[in-house]
Amino acid sequence: MGLAIGIVGATGAVGQKIIEVIMERNLPISELRLFASEKSAGKTVKLDKYNKEVTVELLTEEVMKEKYDYLLFSAGGSISEKYAPIAAEAGNMVIDNSSHFRMNKDIPLVIPEVNSHVLKGYKGIVSNPNCSTIQMIVAIAPLYRKYGINRIVVSTYQAVSGSGYKAIEELQNQLRDKEYPNKVYTRKIAGNCIPHIDIFNENGFTKEELKMVYETHKILEDDTIEVNPTAVRIPVFYGHSESIYLELKEEVNINEIKKTLEESKGVIVEDDPKINRYPTPIEVENTDFTYVGRIRKDLYNPKGLSLWVVADNLRKGAATNAVQIVEAMENIKMEG
Ligand code: A2P
């Protein structure tokens, strides 16, 4: 018996990746249904692996009330807000990629390598964290567990694919034509970098930055960590990068830290300055790992540590993490 899976927002940048990741990871599928708006309903999506075409269906309340093993949502917060509760009420497991339910205390926020224990015995909506949070936490959770963390100062360098297909097209068009107007972003993105992702909060931080603060606290179950993010959009198509500064609770021993990271689930250390070895977005495209390089000790603070962390935002930052949540739930079921 395979799994009945539905993807809401199946024609979007993340939705398409979810299909790709499900096919690659050999999830046993008995039924795959794809949902989108009237713009895409009726179009077909080819599943090469099964030599089959699936017709995209219109998302309605009725289809959400049918039975699925898992519904994966990636069509934006307002769609999740409206349809995810209907699907969950009908007894379906929902994995939601939007930020809408993330801070709800009754809804688990899960990175399988880090906190899959919260899924035990749970049924309903599960939230997939923000893309920038996911890669940061995969890299720092092992250090948090071993040494404790007082403070995180992080700057992100985020790819346009995080804003969906329209943003990918906007960058492509502006690279071809310097005069092409900006619609998705507040400024031209080609040849630029924009320190503004999601809306501004009264305290001067953006919502994207505050997601990194509060999601970190929720996933690590520790509100005492001081997180100071600056989130920046850059003209890269795929792959987010992050410069992360940590103040640990103990003195930094670089060799021990590298060893801890090398042994950590989901992490690949790419760090050798002698041969210019460090991760970059182009190199990590289409992978499911979080890559860490430029590991170095603060010149002044013995507890300070700097890292460069890169991951594919559409895969580990979104689609892969969601599919890994499905796998984690299935493993929990098998373990009884
Ligand atoms: P559609 O292709 O019909 O517009 P992206 O993040 O790349 O912009 O993709 C957003 C995804 O969410 C797309 O699959 C899009 O479908 C889907 N979507 C947007 N609005 C709705 C809606 N009202 N109902 C269902 N799906 C929607």
Side-chain angles (χ1 to χ4, degrees):
M1 264 282 287
L3 300 171
I5 292 192
I7 302 173
V8 177
T11 52
V14 173
Q16 289 288 297
K17 278 289 168 191
I18 292 175
I19 298 172
E20 200 178 297
V21 171
I22 285 177
M23 295 296 126
E24 269 176 38
R25 291 174 83 94
N26 288 323
L27 268 190
I29 306 284
S30 59
E31 191 182 18
L32 183 63
R33 292 177 66 182
L34 308 179
F35 302 103
S37 77
E38 58 278 358
K39 198 182 108 197
S40 300
K43 286 185 185 164
T44 53
V45 172
K46 225 169 150 219
L47 304 180
D48 288 333
K49 192 171 156 194
Y50 294 98
N51 204 10
K52 213 178 134 183
E53 285 193 339
V54 180
T55 303
V56 176
E57 299 173 61
L58 179 66
L59 176 65
T60 61
E61 293 188 12
E62 280 59 47
V63 289
M64 291 293 98
K65 290 177 188 161
E66 293 179 36
K67 288 277 171 262
Y68 307 85
D69 291 297
Y70 298 94
L71 277 165
L72 285 77
F73 274 66
S74 198
S78 58
I79 299 296
S80 295
E81 179 180 13
K82 179 168 175 197
Y83 293 96
I86 296 170
E89 185 69 18
N92 294 311
M93 271 296 311
V94 172
I95 297 160
D96 181 31
N97 201 47
S98 83
S99 63
H100 188 76
F101 300 102
R102 286 185 195 145
M103 296 320 298
N104 181 324
K105 67 174 181 22
D106 298 323
I107 292 189
L109 183 63
V110 180
I111 304 173
E113 294 94 330
V114 178
N115 66 337
S116 58
H117 62 274
V118 298
L119 293 170
K120 280 210 178 92
Y122 181 80
K123 201 152 179 8
I125 302 171
V126 177
S127 279
N128 213 28
N130 169 267
C131 44
S132 297
T133 310
I134 292 178
Q135 68 183 72
M136 179 172 83
I137 299 293
V138 170
I140 70 170
L143 305 178
Y144 169 76
R145 300 246 154 83
K146 196 156 178 185
Y147 307 104
I149 292 175
N150 287 325
R151 192 172 163 75
I152 304 170
V153 181
V154 52
S155 297
T156 70
Y157 304 71
Q158 298 184 219
V160 296
S161 52
S163 319
Y165 277 134
K166 283 194 202 83
I168 295 173
E169 280 163 24
E170 188 155 306
L171 176 56
Q172 279 167 342
N173 287 328
Q174 288 178 0
L175 288 173
R176 262 194 305 100
D177 169 10
K178 269 192 159 163
E179 301 310 315
Y180 195 89
N182 46 300
K183 292 186 195 129
V184 175
Y185 298 118
T186 58
R187 304 282 194 286
K188 288 234 167 78
I189 184 66
N192 209 358
C193 66
I194 308 173
H196 174 184
I197 302 183
D198 210 328
I199 55 174
F200 278 101
N201 187 279
E202 280 156 20
N203 63 9
F205 282 82
T206 61
K207 201 168 157 198
E208 181 83 354
E209 291 160 352
L210 294 174
K211 285 174 198 166
M212 294 183 79
V213 178
Y214 300 125
E215 293 180 22
T216 295
H217 290 168
K218 181 166 173 175
I219 296 163
L220 295 179
E221 297 173 42
D222 183 350
D223 291 351
T224 68
I225 306 169
E226 298 172 5
V227 190
N228 282 274
T230 303
V232 182
R233 190 73 67 189
I234 61 163
V236 156
F237 286 104
Y238 303 101
H240 289 355
S241 307
E242 295 177 346
S243 157
I244 301 176
Y245 177 82
L246 301 176
E247 189 193 88
L248 304 179
K249 288 190 192 290
E250 290 179 28
E251 263 195 39
V252 168
N253 174 327
I254 284 292
N255 288 335
E256 208 184 278
I257 291 213
K258 281 189 183 166
K259 192 160 176 283
T260 304
L261 287 170
E262 275 160 2
E263 289 167 355
S264 298
K265 243 179 158 180
V267 174
I268 294 184
V269 173
E270 289 271 2
D271 189 22
D272 190 350
K274 288 195 290 300
I275 54 167
N276 299 337
R277 186 160 170 229
Y278 42 76
T280 69
I282 284 181
E283 290 150 304
V284 313
E285 196 179 324
N286 273 324
T287 68
D288 291 322
F289 293 95
T290 296
Y291 294 80
V292 185
R294 304 290 323 277
I295 304 167
R296 60 208 191 275
K297 190 170 174 171
D298 190 316
L299 293 173
Y300 308 97
N301 178 352
K303 295 177 182 171
L305 172 73
S306 292
L307 308 171
W308 174 249
V309 174
V310 187
D312 184 324
N313 56 304
L314 293 185
R315 290 196 53 127
K316 184 56 193 166
T320 301
N321 199 73
V323 175
Q324 286 171 330
I325 291 174
V326 172
E327 292 170 343
M329 300 279 316
E330 287 300 297
N331 284 338
I332 290 169
K333 258 200 243 163
M334 279 199 324
E335 285 159 10

